[in-house]
Amino acid sequence: MTPRETPPETTAVTLRACAKTFPDGTRALRPIDLEVTGGETVVFLGPSGCGKTTLLRLIAGLERPDPGGRVLFNGEDVTARPIEKRNVGMVFQSYALFPNMTVRDNIAYGLKVRRVARAEIDARVTEMMDMMHIGDLAARRVDQLSGGQRQRVALARAIAVRPRVLLLDEPLTALDALLRERLRVEIDGLLRRLGITAIYVTHDQAEAMALGDRIVVMSHGAIAQIGPPREIYHRPVNAFVADFIGTINRVPCAGSDGDPELVFRPEDADIVAPHEADFSGTVTAAFFLGDRTRLILAGPGETPVVLDTRERTAFDHGQSVAVRVRPDVRMDLAAMAEAGTAP
Amino acid sequence: MRKPVTFTLQLAFTLLVCAFLLVPVILSMLAGVTANFFQGLGSGLTLRWIGEVWGLYADTIFLSLLIAGSCLIVTLVIGVPAAYVLARQGGRLARIIEETIVLPIAVPGLAIALALIVTYGGIREFRISWAFILVGHVLYTLPFMVRSVLAVLSSIRFRELEEGAASLGASFWQRLWTVVLPNARPGILAGSLMVVTLSVGEFNLTWMLHTPMTKTLPVGLADSYASMRLEVASAYTLVFFIMIMPLLAAMQMLGRERRVRQPQNTSTRP
Amino acid sequence: MHGRDYPRLFVLFLPLALVFTAFFLVPMARVAVVGATGEDGLAAYLSILTTPRHFESMVATVVLSVGVTATALAVSTVAGLFLVRNRFPGRSLLVSLLTFPLAFPGVVIGFLVILLAGRQGLIGSVSDLLIGDRIVFAYSMAGLFVGYLYFSIPRVILTVMATAEKIDPALEEAARSLGAPGWRVVKDVLLPALKPGFVASGAICFATAMGAFGTAFTLATNIDVLPMTIYTEFTLNANIAGAASLSIVLGLITWAALFVARSLSGTTVAVSG
């Protein structure tokens, strides 16, 4: 990892040997080291129970790491500081909007607690509501808002205090697919505009790829891989990462270079004439998706092969298909792990 | 992150509240087996008072058990089917009916007893039988049975289960017997425990409805508090505690089980 | 299968409807009529205001009930919140101990007060040892207060804990993430979130205290709370109309309080005492 320069007025977050064991003995995190550059958006991605939320809560100050672990903001040790003293903004999965306050009071709350002058509070809250396009909801009660509106209020509330770091814990999980996509675009725009250091937790790989400058893929309380979305997608260090981000096929096949298996993404193979093929399979299912057709093939291996093709022809069940994997995009999991992209 | 001082203070306060509730109970239990309460435990432990209570009041214990058992049967037979009907119908009318059925909890027992005496007190055979008390107990405990069953039914989407059973060819009565009732069991169980516990301890109604020949346990207790020495009254109270403790414990266990089960049902998020 | 089921549903509901009508609706209507058949006619329903003895008893009962409710709310909130927000060994035992007196009848609670503060009671013995004077208050307003508090605390704790458990822990974390110190979290987030629980348990507590008969009966105090007044009118003065009208009024008060509680929270807790 090349250390980047921290832009002025942003906060770099550093984790040193942060492990977390809960009182009941569950080991949520193995010792983790991580550098988040100021102004960067980092996404923690992983299946449920992988420790990504615990890691976020360590940075927030809602949990303390096991002895020996340290959390640094711009080099300053904040490990012992509780969340209320860390000046972070946090967006919760359940939004956690205060039901006893209006939208305006929710957004103003952090400023009120900080004893900011009333006029300034009003100005800042109005600015936030305009930025999030919720100006006309100011006097509403929380229970009168839709899911997407709640999400916007939660974001406005978190950034109103001008936090050093913005922490988002699965902020879109509770929304339906269409809204999720729209808010994803909005959050992306917001983060770029604010230039704030942001850490975003999700189990949705599309969200991670869209938002993250870098993605931290986690598994069983440890980091499996860190890197920009492209690198994670095209050069996963192991089968777990490859499987979790997108679909991969592993076909046992005596390839030209003597590899025991071919590893490739569904879109990285073509249907070719039999004599050019790496292997062939029988169509067991074909799904026409508009821009492409997804084929499920009974191939040479035990697991079915998934293939995306842009061919316009229809495919019949039982039809034999010859497949060639584009040589330049073949994955070699073993070599990648050795090359040391893994932490 | 927890401040130890406030933690200790709150713990001490909670323990104090607990002591307030517990000390008198322990006191009464001890008094019931102490030879002479005024002299203290030094006077020795004895089962004499319990024996005396048995001689004087055994019939009240049996009558209370008889009434509680009968009350349970009646509330099961009339309350559970009614709860099912209310759960199925839903809507405003069902809400109003439910509101009416729970009235006997809201209206003081004294008023209900008065109403029963004014209306049926003239029917002598009825007035002097234990069935008169049973009627009062049924009215008072019925809301708990209905509510308890209704709560479970409205939490399990029993209509879908029933429609599923119907699609498989089950008739109305088969569905009721094989799908609805088994799934309502936690509610029926909780309701039954509540009915028996409340019936055994009911005093407000019973005091007005009883006759010298139909004394229940709490009526006997009030009698002993007024006219017996402290040790006998305590021993009698001890007998009462022994009777209801298992019921209370069962209710708490049932409640805990439900609380443990709930989160697993709802939380599917990472 | 909808329409065809109506006759069956009717049959299933009929037994309860018959029992309830015969033994509750009809008698209550009857007693309401009886209440107006005394010497004063319909004015009997105003006797609670016009007869000084009744009015005093009413005021005493309301004051006692409000006092008990306020105290029980304060005590139970501190203890209940503590139990919900902390995990420590012995916690579930504490919860059990705090809620098990829920089903104790009022008479028994009266007797417990006698053991605590009566002539041979614990407090008297201790004070005798310490200051050479037996403190006895079981048979006064204070004794009633202690007894009512005894049956109120478990009810209120249960409701407070149930409400507190439902509060999203993220609310508190959100307030802290915005910089709120502990006391502000309690004031701005926790107490407002507990408000429905306060209203509900407060109303239950008030209604229970208003209608409590057993405790007062056992303590045989010289304070006439409303249920005791009704009992006295009925048994000693044989004033059936008076007793009837008073019980209707009392019933309306407790029902109204509980109706408020239920429409705000939807809980059912035994009212006996």
Side-chain angles (χ1 to χ4, degrees):
Chain A
M1 194 83 287
T2 46
R4 301 178 211 184
E5 201 153 305
T6 302
E9 288 172 49
T10 62
T11 302
V13 177
T14 310
L15 298 180
R16 294 259 163 80
C18 281
K20 180 69 192 175
T21 313
F22 284 112
D24 65 350
T26 336
R27 189 106 196 255
L29 286 177
R30 279 178 266 174
I32 278 179
D33 291 287
L34 181 68
E35 298 275 350
V36 178
T37 319
E40 182 186 26
T41 300
V42 166
V43 177
F44 294 171
L45 174 68
S48 88
C50 71
K52 55 189 190 299
T53 295
T54 309
L55 194 57
L56 187 82
R57 291 169 67 88
L58 282 180
I59 298 169
L62 286 168
E63 307 280 356
R64 280 180 81 160
D66 293 345
R70 295 204 298 148
V71 181
L72 309 155
F73 283 7
N74 272 351
E76 177 197 0
D77 192 333
V78 296
T79 318
R81 248 194 243 175
I83 183 169
E84 56 264 35
K85 301 265 166 58
R86 283 197 191 184
N87 195 16
V88 293
M90 191 150 179
V91 177
F92 296 82
Q93 188 176 0
S94 60
Y95 315 129
L97 298 179
F98 307 127
N100 51 313
M101 303 179 196
T102 60
V103 166
R104 177 171 270 281
D105 291 341
N106 261 283
I107 301 172
Y109 187 77
L111 300 168
K112 273 191 197 144
V113 169
R114 285 171 171 72
R115 298 179 192 285
V116 174
R118 175 159 279 248
E120 200 190 329
I121 292 183
D122 283 347
R124 188 101 64 90
V125 170
T126 308
E127 180 196 333
M128 288 301 134
M129 288 194 297
D130 289 345
M131 191 196 280
M132 298 307 300
H133 313 292
I134 47 174
D136 46 343
L137 302 177
R140 291 268 187 97
R141 294 183 55 85
V142 169
D143 50 18
Q144 298 168 316
L145 301 180
S146 71
Q149 290 169 335
R150 283 173 205 218
Q151 187 51 70
R152 289 196 176 92
V153 177
L155 270 166
R157 182 178 72 177
I159 56 179
V161 296
R162 304 216 169 115
R164 304 178 72 176
V165 183
L166 183 60
L167 305 167
L168 304 108
D169 186 8
E170 306 233 11
L172 301 181
T173 304
L175 301 173
D176 63 64
L178 213 66
L179 200 54
R180 201 149 66 203
E181 199 138 338
R182 237 178 52 207
L183 272 164
R184 194 163 77 198
V185 176
E186 260 181 59
I187 290 179
D188 184 56
L190 186 72
L191 294 179
R192 312 248 157 256
R193 189 151 28 131
L194 296 173
I196 191 176
T197 309
I199 298 173
Y200 190 108
V201 165
T202 183
H203 65 271
D204 182 275
Q205 49 130 334
E207 231 167 88
M209 309 255 271
L211 290 173
D213 292 326
R214 283 192 300 154
I215 296 177
V216 176
V217 184
M218 296 186 63
S219 157
H220 296 106
I223 295 177
Q225 186 172 4
I226 305 179
R230 275 169 206 290
E231 185 182 308
I232 301 266
Y233 187 80
H234 292 302
R235 290 195 286 133
V237 291
N238 55 34
F240 169 78
V241 176
D243 246 340
F244 195 76
I245 311 249
T247 309
I248 56 159
N249 295 302
R250 309 175 78 162
V251 178
C253 168
S256 45
D257 44 1
D259 248 356
E261 62 173 8
L262 275 168
V263 184
F264 62 99
R265 301 254 181 224
E267 68 274 19
D268 288 341
D270 300 306
I271 294 173
V272 294
H275 67 273
E276 291 174 325
D278 290 319
F279 67 92
S280 62
T282 323
V283 176
T284 58
F287 306 103
F288 177 58
L289 300 172
D291 57 336
R292 64 206 146 95
T293 303
R294 171 156 283 200
L295 298 177
I296 313 292
L297 306 178
E302 283 170 26
T303 47
V305 176
V306 181
L307 190 66
D308 285 346
T309 173
R310 299 198 175 270
E311 305 260 346
R312 295 195 165 213
T313 49
F315 292 86
D316 296 324
H317 286 218
Q319 180 182 340
S320 183
V321 175
V323 179
R324 178 175 167 79
V325 181
R326 285 178 222 139
D328 52 324
V329 292
R330 277 182 198 174
M331 294 177 173
D332 187 345
L333 296 178
M336 282 171 190
E338 272 164 34
T341 358
Chain B
M1 260 170 276
R2 169 199 295 157
K3 297 186 189 81
V5 181
T6 44
F7 176 82
T8 314
L9 277 177
Q10 283 177 300
L11 177 65
F13 182 80
T14 309
L15 287 174
L16 204 68
V17 177
C18 207
F20 167 59
L21 297 179
L22 209 58
V23 166
V25 175
I26 294 170
L27 223 51
S28 92
M29 287 178 159
L30 283 179
V33 290
T34 307
N36 186 322
F37 184 64
F38 200 62
Q39 288 167 13
L41 277 176
S43 59
L45 296 176
T46 176
L47 287 177
R48 192 183 133 202
W49 311 121
I50 305 243
E52 233 169 83
V53 165
W54 191 255
L56 284 166
Y57 294 110
D59 52 337
T60 68
I61 297 169
F62 292 125
L63 183 62
S64 268
L65 290 175
L66 174 68
I67 291 179
S70 315
C71 185
L72 175 60
I73 293 171
V74 176
T75 49
L76 281 174
V77 169
I78 73 174
V80 176
Y84 165 71
V85 175
L86 288 177
R88 264 207 58 172
Q89 283 311 107
R92 242 182 87 172
L93 185 64
R95 285 287 307 163
I96 293 172
I97 292 177
E98 191 194 333
E99 203 55 52
T100 316
I101 293 175
V102 298
L103 269 179
I105 312 181
V107 177
L110 221 51
I112 301 173
L114 207 59
L116 283 172
I117 291 171
V118 165
T119 315
Y120 295 106
I123 309 171
R124 206 174 162 278
E125 288 302 308
F126 184 36
R127 175 72 182 89
I128 61 169
S129 79
W130 59 269
F132 202 54
I133 298 174
L134 175 64
V135 166
H137 283 207
V138 167
L139 286 178
Y140 175 58
T141 56
L142 198 55
F144 294 95
M145 181 63 86
V146 173
R147 274 264 161 114
S148 172
V149 176
L150 205 52
V152 170
L153 283 182
S154 41
S155 71
I156 59 166
R157 290 169 168 252
F158 75 102
R159 285 295 289 153
E160 272 172 32
L161 295 180
E162 244 197 304
E163 280 162 8
S167 75
L168 297 167
S171 73
F172 179 85
W173 300 109
Q174 281 173 323
R175 291 192 314 256
L176 191 63
W177 195 249
T178 58
V179 176
V180 177
L181 288 181
N183 282 296
R185 226 180 66 177
I188 297 176
L189 197 60
S192 301
L193 280 171
M194 198 75 192
V195 165
V196 173
T197 311
L198 288 176
S199 170
V200 167
E202 213 299 318
F203 175 77
N204 294 5
L205 277 161
T206 320
W207 181 257
M208 301 280 284
L209 299 178
H210 87 278
T211 66
M213 298 311 295
T214 54
K215 280 188 184 176
T216 65
L217 208 167
V219 169
L221 279 174
D223 191 76
S224 76
Y225 295 159
S227 56
M228 292 287 155
R229 55 183 298 168
L230 197 66
E231 289 85 348
V232 175
S234 294
Y236 198 5
T237 310
L238 178 60
V239 171
F240 172 75
F241 280 145
I242 292 171
M243 277 176 65
I244 65 160
M245 283 307 175
L247 292 167
L248 293 178
M251 265 199 285
Q252 290 210 339
M253 262 159 60
L254 209 66
R256 199 166 308 154
E257 218 173 274
R258 240 188 288 173
R259 230 173 297 154
V260 172
R261 242 189 339 228
Q262 251 169 3
Q264 291 173 342
N265 284 343
T266 50
S267 169
T268 52
R269 309 185 314 212
Chain C
M1 65 190 219
H2 273 266
R4 281 201 343 197
D5 284 350
Y6 279 126
R8 294 164 180 151
L9 294 179
F10 181 75
V11 168
L12 286 177
F13 193 74
L14 195 61
L16 183 136
L18 289 178
V19 169
F20 199 77
T21 309
F23 293 112
F24 185 76
L25 296 179
V26 169
M28 285 313 282
R30 191 79 205 267
V31 90
V33 172
V34 167
T37 54
E39 297 159 21
D40 308 331
L42 266 178
Y45 282 105
L46 296 176
S47 84
I48 203 151
L49 300 175
T50 52
T51 311
R53 200 159 36 88
H54 293 171
F55 183 68
E56 278 162 29
S57 143
M58 168 79 174
V59 170
T61 316
V62 169
V63 167
L64 176 65
S65 303
V66 169
V68 166
T69 304
T71 314
L73 276 177
V75 168
S76 310
T77 304
V78 175
L81 268 186
F82 169 73
L83 288 170
V84 169
R85 288 154 57 82
N86 293 285
R87 292 286 176 275
F88 52 90
R91 175 187 168 275
S92 59
L93 177 71
L94 260 183
V95 175
S96 304
L97 290 177
L98 283 170
T99 51
F100 87 114
L102 194 65
F104 287 6
V107 260
V108 170
I109 290 168
F111 181 62
L112 295 181
V113 173
I114 291 176
L115 284 175
L116 210 55
R119 284 178 208 98
Q120 303 176 45
L122 181 69
I123 293 175
S125 309
V126 172
S127 70
D128 196 17
L129 272 179
L130 292 178
I131 54 171
D133 190 18
R134 279 196 163 266
I135 298 178
V136 174
F137 59 81
Y139 316 100
S140 68
M141 188 72 149
L144 271 187
F145 181 84
V146 169
Y148 283 26
L149 197 59
Y150 191 99
F151 63 65
S152 298
I153 286 176
R155 284 167 227 278
V156 183
I157 280 194
L158 265 189
T159 321
V160 167
M161 285 183 65
T163 319
E165 268 163 12
K166 272 187 252 160
I167 300 176
D168 181 0
L171 277 181
E172 203 184 323
E173 295 175 353
R176 291 179 57 205
S177 79
L178 293 166
W183 65 271
R184 279 212 78 151
V185 176
V186 173
K187 173 178 153 286
D188 296 336
V189 177
L190 280 181
L191 292 183
L194 283 172
K195 214 170 89 187
F198 288 153
V199 176
S201 54
I204 289 167
C205 191
F206 177 77
T208 313
M210 285 298 292
F213 171 61
T215 309
F217 182 83
T218 307
L219 292 177
T221 60
N222 37 29
I223 295 148
D224 261 341
V225 286
L226 210 43
M228 284 301 282
T229 310
I230 296 172
Y231 179 68
T232 317
E233 287 293 339
F234 180 66
T235 50
L236 295 183
N237 307 344
N239 177 5
I240 294 178
S245 63
L246 280 180
S247 22
I248 293 285
V249 172
L250 178 59
L252 280 177
I253 295 174
T254 51
W255 174 80
L258 283 172
F259 184 76
V260 170
R262 252 200 324 279
S263 46
L264 284 169
S265 73
T267 46
T268 316
V269 179
V271 180
S272 65

